[in-house]
């Protein structure tokens, strides 16, 4: 017998005060350090968003270029350290490899929070790209903007300006998102006065799950299985009848369409506009839109009181595929951006927070039979 304890998902519980982001689930609004996501994603670089999280303001050109240089140097340093990672990057699952390799990063005494974030964010990107290129990972090019170099290290070719812009739009979109599960995990670890690397390792573990950051790969598997827009209805009907969840649909907080879905859909459309006529992006986008429409309608019929609409992962899948990333790298790429958010939350928790230690309610039930 299993008992569902009321409130066990901590819905509505406020666990921290933050200036980093605000998620308004009723109205579908996401604000990143004062800026609506749709106003900055696709308009500023990933470097700018990192700077914004840590300082509360967008950088000047000089500040951007100095942060870009610091990220480049840190990517190089992370690459140089890869010999110390043992067989971490040989693990078959990319997120396992990321968790194990990031765990090797040490604590640097007296390091400033932004410098520490730069070191960790760069390492996540380098390790993720290296995992995809085992046994001969590509060396970072520290002169490149972060998104351009990440794409280059993953794809093994120089990306186009439009591809870099699309990846920047993605990285900015997902850099932070309220008290999501991985950020909460990071803050819980930080609240014990542990170090930032330990907090990020915990967050990577939380992000891996398919209810959190692990959904975009399965979204593409679903699109592959459906194949054509005309098949969407029958496929969704059958999946729901089997009791399956439609990946990329539904959200714990949003009761309307996830605002990040709009931003990413816009980025995909811009990428498509810059691609040649033979590009498969447009076809994929049309399929995704058909599946979303069908899934939204059928979920609304099944759950009239619980709106279940597209979340960030739905169009993440389409965007990252269009950029040529293997689906095994989707969640690590998410981590390569969110790592900045985790580090900023760790800094905030350390500065203002208290030990996070909720209570449990004891119920005298027999152990479940399995
Ligand atoms: N497909 C089908 N049914 C879904 C669904 C989905 N994507 N998401 C939620 N539901 C159903 C649940 O089965 C549940 O039905 P029930 O009341 O009959 O048992 C109901 O909607 C409420 O779901 P619940 O699990 O309470 O919602 P939650 O807030 O805990 O879950 C998610 C939020 C994101 C975990 C959930 O929507 C989900 O699993 N989505 C798919 C995975 C995904 O896209 N993850 C990325 C999130 S950004």
């Amino acid at each position: 017998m299993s008992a569902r304890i009321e409130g066990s998902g901590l819905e509505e519980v406020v666990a921290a005060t933050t200036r980093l982001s605000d998620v308004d689930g009723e109205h579908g609004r996401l604000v990143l350090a004062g800026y609506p996501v749709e106003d900055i994603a696709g308009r500023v670089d990933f470097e700018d968003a990192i700077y914004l999280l840590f300082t509360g303001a967008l950088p000047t050109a000089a500040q951007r270029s100095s942060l870009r240089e610091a990220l480049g140097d840190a990517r190089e340093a992370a690459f140089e350290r890869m010999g110390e990672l043992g067989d971490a990057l040989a693990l078959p699952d990319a997120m396992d490899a990321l968790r194990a390799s990031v765990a090797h990063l040490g604590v640097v005494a007296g390091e400033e929070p932004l410098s520490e974030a730069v070191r960790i964010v760069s390492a996540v990107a380098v390790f993720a790209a290296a995992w995809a290129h085992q046994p001969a990972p590509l060396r970072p090019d520290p002169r490149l903007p972060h998104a351009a170099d990440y794409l280059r290290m993953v794809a093994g070719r120089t990306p186009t300006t439009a591809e870099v812009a699309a990846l920047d739009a993605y990285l900015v979109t997902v850099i932070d998102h309220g008290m999501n599960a991985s950020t909460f995990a990071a803050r819980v670890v930080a609240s014990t006065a542990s170090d930032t690397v330990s907090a990020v390792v915990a967050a990577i573990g939380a992000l891996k799950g398919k209810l959190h950051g692990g959904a975009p790969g399965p979204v593409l598997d679903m699109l592959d299985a459906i194949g054509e827009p005309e098949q969407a209805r029958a496929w969704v009907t059958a999946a729901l009848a089997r009791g399956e969840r439609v990946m990329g649909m539904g959200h714990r907080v949003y009761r309307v369409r996830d605002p990040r879905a709009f931003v990413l859909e816009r980025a995909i459309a811009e990428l498509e506009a810059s691609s040649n006529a033979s590009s498969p992006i447009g076809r994929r986008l049309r399929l995704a839109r058909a599946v979303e429409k069908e899934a939204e309608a059928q979920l609304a019929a099944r759950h009239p009181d619980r709106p279940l609409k597209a979340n960030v992962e739905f169009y993440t899948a389409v965007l990252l595929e269009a950029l040529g990333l293997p689906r095994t790298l989707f969640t690590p790429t998410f981590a390569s951006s969110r790592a900045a958010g985790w580090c900023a939350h760790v800094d905030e928790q350390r500065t203002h927070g208290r030990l996070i230690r909720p209570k449990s309610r004891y119920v005298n039930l027999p152990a479940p039979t399995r």
Side-chain angles (χ1 to χ4, degrees):
M1 174 185 173
S2 74
R4 184 167 173 152
I5 313 269
E6 197 188 338
S8 58
L10 298 182
E11 295 93 332
E12 307 302 332
V13 173
V14 174
T17 301
T18 184
R19 58 162 194 85
L20 298 169
S21 61
D22 182 39
V23 182
D24 177 347
E26 288 302 320
H27 302 101
R29 288 193 202 115
L30 167 62
V31 172
L32 294 169
Y35 290 86
V37 66
E38 62 277 14
D39 289 356
I40 55 166
R43 312 282 187 257
V44 306
D45 298 345
F46 182 49
E47 283 85 344
D48 298 14
I50 297 175
Y51 193 90
L52 174 66
L53 279 193
F54 279 85
T55 67
L58 288 169
T60 61
Q63 288 162 336
R64 177 185 308 116
S65 108
S66 132
L67 181 56
R68 183 164 288 169
E69 204 175 304
L71 283 159
D73 290 348
R75 288 195 303 278
E76 245 189 347
F79 189 86
E80 295 300 339
R81 288 199 55 183
M82 284 203 313
E84 302 163 21
L85 301 181
D87 58 3
L89 288 176
L91 289 170
D93 181 277
M95 287 300 281
D96 290 346
L98 198 58
R99 193 191 57 231
S101 51
V102 169
H104 280 261
L105 298 174
V107 176
V108 176
E111 198 173 28
E112 288 294 319
L114 178 54
S115 305
E116 188 177 51
V118 163
R119 182 166 64 90
I120 292 172
V121 166
S122 298
V124 171
V126 169
F127 297 161
W131 177 86
H133 267 274
Q134 288 296 340
L138 294 186
R139 176 171 279 281
D141 179 346
R143 292 160 309 169
L144 289 178
H146 189 79
D149 202 25
Y150 181 66
L151 268 185
R152 190 193 60 81
M153 286 190 288
V154 170
R157 63 173 175 82
T158 305
T160 65
T161 310
E163 287 173 329
V164 175
L167 183 62
D168 264 318
Y170 171 72
L171 296 175
V172 172
T173 301
V174 302
I175 194 166
D176 195 43
H177 198 244
M179 198 47 55
N180 61 87
S182 57
T183 298
F184 184 53
R187 285 192 84 128
V188 169
V189 174
S191 84
T192 70
S194 184
D195 62 284
T196 309
V197 170
S198 299
V200 169
V201 168
I204 291 172
L207 188 71
K208 177 185 172 188
K210 73 177 190 311
L211 298 188
H212 186 8
V219 168
L220 274 196
D221 296 339
M222 172 179 75
L223 294 182
D224 283 346
I226 295 172
E228 297 297 333
E230 303 74 47
Q231 305 300 325
R233 177 161 305 167
W235 194 94
V236 172
T237 306
L240 293 179
R242 288 192 299 270
E244 292 173 11
R245 292 190 174 204
V246 182
M247 288 294 122
M249 300 296 295
H251 197 270
R252 170 57 64 82
V253 180
Y254 291 119
R255 291 294 168 266
V256 292
R257 195 174 188 244
D258 187 332
R260 299 167 298 174
F262 290 100
V263 174
L264 296 181
E265 205 183 351
R266 179 177 75 188
I268 299 164
E270 285 170 8
L271 185 61
E272 189 204 356
S274 73
S275 309
N276 60 39
S278 62
S279 155
I281 302 174
R283 209 171 143 254
R284 201 58 148 170
L285 186 56
R286 281 188 291 284
L287 174 62
R289 284 174 171 153
V291 174
E292 179 193 358
K293 195 166 163 228
E294 193 52 46
E296 189 179 309
Q298 293 201 28
L299 288 169
R302 280 178 171 255
H303 301 276
D305 301 327
R306 169 68 195 252
L308 295 164
K309 299 182 189 272
N311 62 48
V312 65
E313 307 287 25
F314 202 87
Y315 287 97
T316 288
V318 181
L319 179 66
L320 297 186
E321 180 191 49
L323 291 176
L325 267 66
R327 54 193 80 181
T328 46
L329 265 197
F330 288 2
T331 312
T333 304
F334 187 168
S336 81
S337 166
R338 186 57 65 81
W342 295 330
C343 291
H345 275 274
V346 165
D347 181 39
E348 200 172 61
Q349 180 68 33
R350 208 170 265 149
T351 314
H352 307 293
R354 299 181 68 218
L355 172 68
I356 297 174
R357 201 319 188 175
K359 284 164 58 168
S360 50
R361 183 160 60 84
Y362 175 67
V363 285
N364 191 5
L365 290 173
T369 46
R370 296 181 198 281

